[in-house]
Amino acid sequence: MDEKYNFKCEVFDSLSNLPDEIAVLIQAAQSQMDRAYAPYSKFYVGAALLLEDGRTYLGCNQENASFPLCMCAERVALYNAGADNDSFRIKALAITAKNPAKPLKEICMPCGACRQVIREFEERQKAEIPLYLSSDGNHIIKLDGISPLLPHSFSKDFLL
Ligand code: THU
């Protein structure tokens, strides 16, 4: 894996170098990839988020024969947490992906739409959401929040 990133992040070589609850969260995201419904792309994404109160929400990509209706793993997990709670605080979000047809050379990054949705959840809780991205389980990058991946973003500040 190429470990050079032009944004602020920490790179970990192993789950054992992370706090236990984060390692467990990443493993939950990895397991969740196997539940993805991805018969068209055969690209499997898992997401797991940890709330401050210790609860975990999971997501995996859900595809549709009408391709634009496909939903990303990150949004499945985030919207599930949003639907289930009035107020909540996300302590960490783990995202992992695999392409069985082609070993990934780089850690898979969240798509633009999901970056925007993560941004909204950061706004909602008025705090950044630490992100743990991994694709092979051996390399993990941690970002303090979404802003390095979505600079100069659109937000409610333009609306209200
Ligand atoms: N996908 C995600 O689940 N998250 C992303 O951030 C990028 C893409 C899914 C959507 C689709 O099911 C498949 O990966 C290929 O684009």
Side-chain angles (χ1 to χ4, degrees), residues 37-38 41 43 45 61-63 70-74 108-111 114:
Y37 177 66
S41 72
F43 187 78
V45 186
N61 47 327
Q62 303 293 315
E63 297 190 346
C70 294
M71 180 56 68
C72 293
E74 298 90 320
C108 180
M109 295 286 155
C111 78
C114 288

Side-chain angles (χ1 to χ4, degrees), residues 55-68:
R55 285 177 297 149
T56 297
Y57 283 89
L58 303 171
C60 50
N61 47 327
Q62 303 293 315
E63 297 190 346
N64 194 284
S66 176
F67 290 176

Side-chain angles (χ1 to χ4, degrees), residues 6-105:
N6 62 358
F7 51 81
K8 184 174 166 274
C9 66
E10 280 176 83
V11 181
F12 298 89
D13 289 336
S14 153
L15 287 183
S16 59
N17 296 332
L18 288 157
D20 285 350
E21 66 177 6
I22 299 301
V24 167
L25 191 72
I26 293 169
Q27 284 168 334
Q30 287 168 343
S31 305
Q32 198 62 17
M33 286 190 294
D34 296 328
R35 299 191 66 88
Y37 177 66
Y40 306 107
S41 72
K42 297 187 167 47
F43 187 78
Y44 303 89
V45 186
L49 63 84
L50 177 66
L51 299 187
E52 282 291 348
D53 67 13
R55 285 177 297 149
T56 297
Y57 283 89
L58 303 171
C60 50
N61 47 327
Q62 303 293 315
E63 297 190 346
N64 194 284
S66 176
F67 290 176
L69 303 185
C70 294
M71 180 56 68
C72 293
E74 298 90 320
R75 278 178 282 164
V76 172
L78 288 162
Y79 289 156
N80 193 14
D84 222 15
N85 296 278
D86 290 328
S87 75
F88 57 95
R89 192 175 164 107
I90 299 167
K91 194 174 179 185
L93 171 60
I95 304 165
T96 183
K98 69 177 172 192
N99 181 353
K102 187 183 98 169
L104 297 174
K105 291 205 187 83

Side-chain angles (χ1 to χ4, degrees), residues 113-132:
C114 288
R115 295 178 195 200
Q116 183 70 34
V117 170
I118 293 166
R119 164 87 156 96
E120 186 79 21
F121 278 76
E122 289 189 343
E123 290 276 345
R124 282 172 75 164
Q125 66 181 35
K126 297 184 175 47
E128 291 188 297
I129 298 172
L131 305 175
Y132 293 86

